[in-house]
Amino acid sequence: MLITHDTRCALDTVVDLVNTAPEDDAATDGLPDVTALADFVRSHEISDVGVLSEFDLSAVRKVRGRFAGIFAATEARAAAGMINELVAAAGTTPRLTNHDGYDWHVHYFAPGASVADHLAADCGMALAFFVVAGEEERLRRCEAPDCRRAFVDLSRNRSRRYCDSRTCGNRLHVAAYRARRKEAAG
């Protein structure tokens, strides 16, 4: 599957956005205020965003929840329906652009769109490409029992199970190794 630079940026953004959501009532929100949203926008180099407000924060959190639903979808039809609703509500307006040193690429958000509509349109279309390619199973959640972070499995054989092999994956492999050693010694 060919993934262009702008699609990869949108995928990274949507994964990071979904992962800002608290995993339970005790966890803190990764987007607690407008300042955190501004930092998110800046760190992901989201273009054409004006002054942010509490309204923007609320709207982005709603979009984040809808993206989380897409990562939880168990079949393509469900994911497609959610993506269609998200992208349609954003009022997509595909247009070619080259800016900030990047060659020609497509933006799907309308000029002057809110940050929530911008995210819904560009990130929604990035996820749509996976459904179109029959690759929606690559939109995953970490299989570590104490982690449910979202990620996109871009491995060649679709075998990635953990959000980060250095943390979640390594921790579970070490625990399994210790359990085997304990059982063998036992």
Side-chain angles (χ1 to χ4, degrees):
M1 178 174 179
L2 175 66
I3 300 175
T4 61
H5 171 76
D6 51 314
T7 299
R8 181 59 194 255
C9 289
L11 290 172
D12 291 344
T13 300
V14 71
V15 164
D16 289 348
L17 178 63
V18 169
N19 289 334
T20 65
E23 292 185 26
D24 56 42
D25 292 335
T28 59
D29 193 314
L31 290 177
D33 53 33
V34 175
T35 301
L37 177 58
D39 290 343
F40 182 89
V41 166
R42 190 172 24 267
S43 69
H44 288 84
E45 299 179 355
I46 300 171
S47 61
D48 295 337
V49 175
V51 176
L52 298 169
S53 67
E54 288 292 330
F55 178 81
D56 292 309
L57 178 62
S58 176
V60 168
R61 285 178 177 164
K62 287 177 186 167
V63 166
R64 175 182 69 185
R66 296 180 81 184
F67 280 131
I70 294 165
F71 276 85
T74 57
E75 61 178 38
R77 184 172 302 282
M82 288 184 267
I83 292 168
N84 283 340
E85 289 174 12
L86 192 63
V87 169
T92 58
T93 306
R95 61 191 168 95
L96 285 168
T97 183
N98 65 341
H99 60 87
D100 300 328
Y102 295 108
D103 205 358
W104 290 105
H105 58 282
V106 179
H107 280 195
Y108 295 94
F109 61 95
S114 69
V115 67
D117 285 346
H118 179 138
L119 291 168
D122 275 2
C123 296
M125 289 305 299
L127 297 178
F129 296 141
F130 278 78
V131 174
V132 168
E135 300 282 355
E136 66 280 348
E137 75 277 358
R138 290 181 181 269
L139 308 176
R140 297 193 176 162
R141 291 290 189 156
C142 184
E143 291 182 20
D146 58 342
C147 181
R148 296 299 299 150
R149 292 178 59 84
F151 68 93
V152 178
D153 178 3
L154 297 177
S155 67
R156 187 179 305 230
N157 62 357
R158 299 174 188 87
S159 62
R160 187 170 160 197
R161 298 174 47 207
Y162 306 110
C163 62
D164 186 344
S165 61
R166 290 183 182 184
T167 55
C168 290
N170 191 45
R171 194 168 24 88
L172 289 174
H173 289 117
V174 168
Y177 171 77
R178 287 180 179 158
R180 286 191 307 272
R181 297 255 337 229
K182 184 177 179 180
E183 185 178 309

